[in-house]
Amino acid sequence: AGEGKMQSLFQTPRALLLTGSGLAIGLMLFPSMRGMTGMLAGLRGMSTAKTGVSICYITVPGAKTADSLADKLVSSKLAACVNIFPQITSVYTWEGKVNKDSELLLMVKTRSELTKTLAEFVQDNHPYDVPEVICTELSDGLPAYLKWVKDTTANDL
């Protein structure tokens, strides 16, 4: 009898499990969150389409490297725009030792099809042995801006 009761309990909206970014919420366990089911259902309408535009994040050791790399990426049409964020702190393990360094962060907007070429370019023009180059494709954005990124970057690399 207990097993049948448990099975019917998991067929209710309160038992809805949401997963995303490694987070699981059991609404069955939190009755006060029942009202969220309507709000969460509205999130289903959000765009998950790909835009063909990516953002790549690159860390650099200083302003001279940031300026040089940003100029080269834009002039070679591998990037439409590079934002330079000053003074970030990176904590990481390298060669078995925990390090804490002051760096700058480049936020690069490019065509998604150029991210591999961009990463190779950074590898060849960066002072680190293994530079951080991580890219993610955008699912949404102002259409005019996304078009500008595509129109400004290389088509045939």
Side-chain angles (χ1 to χ4, degrees):
E3 187 176 310
K5 187 175 183 180
M6 187 62 82
Q7 185 178 14
S8 66
L9 182 67
F10 281 102
Q11 294 172 355
T12 67
R14 288 181 9 202
L16 176 65
L17 288 178
L18 302 171
T19 58
S21 303
L23 177 65
I25 301 172
L27 294 180
M28 177 188 75
L29 301 175
F30 304 100
S32 62
M33 295 178 71
R34 271 186 252 153
M36 290 181 63
T37 55
M39 179 190 76
L40 294 170
L43 293 177
R44 286 184 230 145
M46 291 179 64
S47 175
T48 57
K50 299 295 183 181
T51 61
V53 173
S54 288
I55 292 180
C56 297
Y57 297 98
I58 304 165
T59 54
V60 295
K64 185 175 179 181
T65 302
D67 289 340
S68 173
L69 197 52
D71 288 345
K72 289 176 182 178
L73 288 168
V74 172
S75 64
S76 68
K77 295 191 175 283
L78 286 172
C81 176
V82 178
N83 302 112
I84 302 173
F85 292 86
Q87 202 62 40
I88 64 167
T89 301
S90 295
V91 180
Y92 59 96
T93 300
W94 183 251
E95 296 177 344
K97 182 179 142 199
V98 175
N99 296 275
K100 187 176 190 176
D101 292 321
S102 179
E103 295 182 299
L104 287 83
L105 178 66
L106 306 182
M107 184 173 72
V108 180
K109 278 72 74 179
T110 189
R111 286 175 173 268
S112 297
E113 64 200 43
L114 296 176
T115 57
K116 183 175 180 180
T117 304
L118 183 145
E120 292 168 354
F121 182 89
V122 171
Q123 177 72 57
D124 293 341
N125 291 278
H126 198 289
Y128 294 166
D129 292 334
V130 181
E132 176 182 0
V133 181
I134 54 175
C135 303
T136 186
E137 187 165 1
L138 300 175
S139 62
D140 210 351
L142 184 67
Y145 184 81
L146 298 174
K147 181 182 182 321
W148 172 79
V149 170
K150 290 176 185 177
D151 290 348
T152 305
T153 51
N155 285 318
D156 56 357
L157 289 180

